[in-house]
Amino acid sequence: MDIRAMVMGVLFVLMWSSAFTSARIIVEHAPPLLSLSARFLISGVIAMGLAWALGQKLRLTRGQWKATLIFGVCQNALYLGLFFVAMQWIEASLASIIASTMPLMVGLFGWLVLGEKLRPLAIGGLILGVIGAGLIMGTRLSGGADLLGVAICILGTAALSVATLSARGASSGGNVLMVVGLQMLVGAVCLGVVSPFVETWQVSVDLSLILAFSYTVLIPGVAATFLWFVLVGRIGAVKAATFHFLNPFFGVLVAAVVLGEKVGPLDMLGVAIVAAGILAVQLSKQPAVVAAPLKTAGE
């Protein structure tokens, strides 16, 4: 992995993790699904406009169309839709920690459901992840965290796992920025149809909402999604997913700095354990490096 890929990975994690904090501000002032649908609509139009300006066209491969639809529904409509709803009741730091367990969930499902063999390092990582997540959940629930909000986030993380598996298919045929815009429009349509039936359209407009919404549209919305597709195309989905181990740290840090959310010693211990588990699971997926045989003198 080169330096450029490492910088891209860290920037993606920072932008992706900060979305929970801006989302928490948005849902305090506006309906979650309506806000998210509007965000996707604006972000999608911007991304597609930039794609046209760069000469990208709507000529996608069949695999790209399929993956784009799956990504748009699973990540945007289901994962982010459920998280936006849940963050009406739970803190941004807790939401970011739950979302960051996605690599653990992928590994666990593959092991239990698909019968995939796991290396000892991966098994150890899953055990660490469960311990760390359990520590955080126990601390937060005993402190009054909403159980329904936590359950909704876990369901959303499952949807994110499916979206992640489709990422390579969406980026493998080029036209990356066009794909980004299209999958956002898919999310906008899905949420826009559902919103009028499940929530009241009442918006309290102030400067914090305007700033949070604008930031969410441009940074986590367009920039982070585009960067993720480029990163996956550059180093592959497995190596790119390794950066997820940084998500718990950045998610908690941004929420603490911007929103003033309190983080206790047990929270930080749990975050460190979860991060270690995620890193172990992802490193276990790296191909083994076979050392070249040493040549003896005279060969």
Side-chain angles (χ1 to χ4, degrees):
M1 189 182 302
D2 55 30
I3 297 297
R4 184 176 180 182
M6 294 181 65
V7 172
M8 289 169 60
V10 173
L11 286 176
F12 163 75
V13 170
L14 179 58
M15 291 188 287
W16 189 85
S17 301
S18 68
F20 297 95
T21 295
S22 59
R24 177 68 171 156
I25 297 172
I26 291 171
V27 299
E28 290 179 348
H29 296 83
L33 300 186
L34 174 64
S35 304
L36 196 54
S37 179
R39 166 199 157 175
F40 286 142
L41 177 60
I42 298 172
S43 297
V45 170
I46 292 174
M48 292 184 70
L50 291 173
W52 279 106
L54 294 173
Q56 297 183 19
K57 305 296 182 182
L58 278 172
R59 291 194 293 267
L60 307 183
T61 66
R62 183 176 180 179
Q64 276 187 304
W65 279 115
K66 180 180 178 181
T68 298
L69 289 173
I70 295 173
F71 202 84
V73 172
C74 291
Q75 173 172 290
N76 296 339
L78 293 177
Y79 157 62
L80 286 175
L82 289 169
F83 266 77
F84 261 60
V85 170
M87 277 190 287
Q88 296 175 107
W89 312 304
I90 67 172
E91 293 182 326
S93 56
L94 178 56
S96 68
I97 292 170
I98 296 174
S100 69
T101 62
M102 179 271 296
L104 300 175
M105 187 175 293
V106 170
L108 184 61
F109 283 177
W111 182 24
L112 297 179
V113 179
L114 302 179
E116 295 179 353
K117 294 183 179 180
L118 297 180
R119 296 178 181 177
L121 181 61
I123 296 175
L126 290 176
I127 294 173
L128 281 177
V130 171
I131 293 174
L135 180 61
I136 294 169
M137 295 301 174
T139 302
R140 294 300 182 95
L141 290 176
S142 64
D146 187 270
L147 183 58
L148 177 60
V150 171
I152 291 174
C153 284
I154 294 174
L155 183 60
T157 305
L160 176 62
S161 302
V162 176
T164 300
L165 294 174
S166 70
R168 175 176 287 278
S171 61
S172 58
N175 285 339
V176 176
L177 198 53
M178 185 65 73
V179 169
V180 169
L182 285 171
Q183 54 94 4
M184 287 180 182
L185 292 185
V186 171
V189 171
C190 293
L191 295 174
V193 170
V194 173
S195 174
F197 299 99
V198 298
E199 58 189 10
T200 302
W201 287 8
Q202 184 175 353
V203 181
S204 174
V205 180
D206 65 9
L207 181 60
S208 61
L209 174 62
I210 295 172
L211 292 176
F213 186 82
S214 300
Y215 175 84
T216 303
V217 166
L218 297 175
I219 306 303
V222 176
T225 308
F226 173 72
L227 192 59
W228 171 250
F229 278 119
V230 173
L231 184 63
V232 169
R234 184 179 182 87
I235 63 176
V238 173
K239 290 183 179 179
T242 305
F243 288 100
H244 279 290
F245 89 94
L246 294 172
N247 283 321
F249 293 108
F250 280 118
V252 170
L253 177 62
V254 174
V257 172
V258 178
L259 300 178
E261 292 185 2
K262 295 182 179 179
V263 181
L266 289 180
D267 286 319
M268 293 309 301
L269 177 60
V271 165
I273 294 174
V274 168
I278 294 171
L279 182 59
V281 168
Q282 294 304 324
L283 288 178
S284 72
K285 298 179 182 179
Q286 306 293 332
V289 178
V290 180
L294 295 177
K295 292 185 178 181
T296 59
E299 286 187 313

